Amino acid sequence: KSTRTGQNKLGLSFHGQSILRHTILSVAPFVHSVIVVAGHYYEDIKKDVEGMLHVHVVYNEMYESGMFSSVQKGLQCSSGDVFILPGDCPFVLSSTFTSLLNGTAPLRVPSYLNRFGHPLFMTANLAKLCLQEPPTSNLRCFRQKHPIEVVEVMDEAILHDMDTLEDYETLTKWKGVL
């Protein structure tokens, strides 16, 4: 609901495109399709990504119950291996996706300076198990039930998302000087 920004944070602009579009463009070269799960700002998000190839927006009627319900909704719509990436993590490097794809475990998480970040990679078989979790669960609980492969990356962006307008300003200034 973007309650801490007071507006649809995924629609905020950076270099003429929404944050959500930047996120989609970062992952798109590594997947067959992108499933965007939306709730409170569903109509705005659907309009924002209109015309993007292989991008599907699905409505999570349970969005009020938390992010895990959106993860499960997205997994219901997928059939293969998946990256799970919050829409407010727009600047993950291509090398991070490649490193995760080159891993071998069914569950892989990137790490920068010993800190876990986004995106999470999960094989299709593990995704099916995630769908069996109770809706009150979360990705951290699920992750703790399964062996994970930690993939060290040189990508500070895996640690940054945007919860506030200050986060947005910091992230766009930081990315702007790279």
Side-chain angles (χ1 to χ4, degrees), residues 19-90:
I19 292 297
L20 179 58
R21 279 183 168 260
H22 282 281
T23 302
I24 291 168
L25 292 171
S26 72
V27 69
F30 303 95
V31 297
H32 296 290
S33 66
V34 175
I35 299 167
V36 178
V37 181
H40 187 71
Y41 291 105
Y42 172 76
E43 291 298 330
D44 293 340
I45 287 170
K46 191 172 172 184
K47 186 176 181 178
D48 181 28
V49 302
E50 193 171 63
M52 293 186 84
L53 295 176
H54 310 290
V55 176
H56 311 282
V57 182
V58 296
Y59 180 69
N60 177 15
E61 58 281 337
M62 306 265 304
Y63 72 90
E64 292 276 4
S65 65
M67 192 183 302
F68 193 64
S69 69
S70 291
V71 168
Q72 288 183 314
K73 184 69 170 191
L75 292 175
Q76 288 170 2
C77 299
S78 66
S79 58
D81 298 346
V82 298
F83 283 109
I84 298 173
L85 179 63
D88 64 348
C89 294

Side-chain angles (χ1 to χ4, degrees), residues 1-12 41 88 162-169:
K1 288 173 54 172
S2 301
T3 54
R4 289 182 270 180
T5 59
Q7 60 185 301
N8 176 9
K9 64 183 177 181
L10 300 181
L12 294 171
Y41 291 105
D88 64 348
M162 301 178 347
D163 294 323
T164 65
L165 288 175
E166 291 78 20
D167 292 342
Y168 164 71
E169 290 173 14

Side-chain angles (χ1 to χ4, degrees), residues 91-126:
F91 303 127
V92 174
L93 297 175
S94 295
S95 59
T96 295
F97 293 105
T98 299
S99 294
L100 288 168
L101 286 172
N102 288 334
T104 58
L107 188 59
R108 304 167 206 156
V109 62
S111 173
Y112 176 75
L113 300 179
N114 297 314
R115 293 177 56 204
F116 289 177
H118 300 292
L120 182 72
F121 175 88
M122 182 183 306
T123 61
N125 288 337
L126 206 53

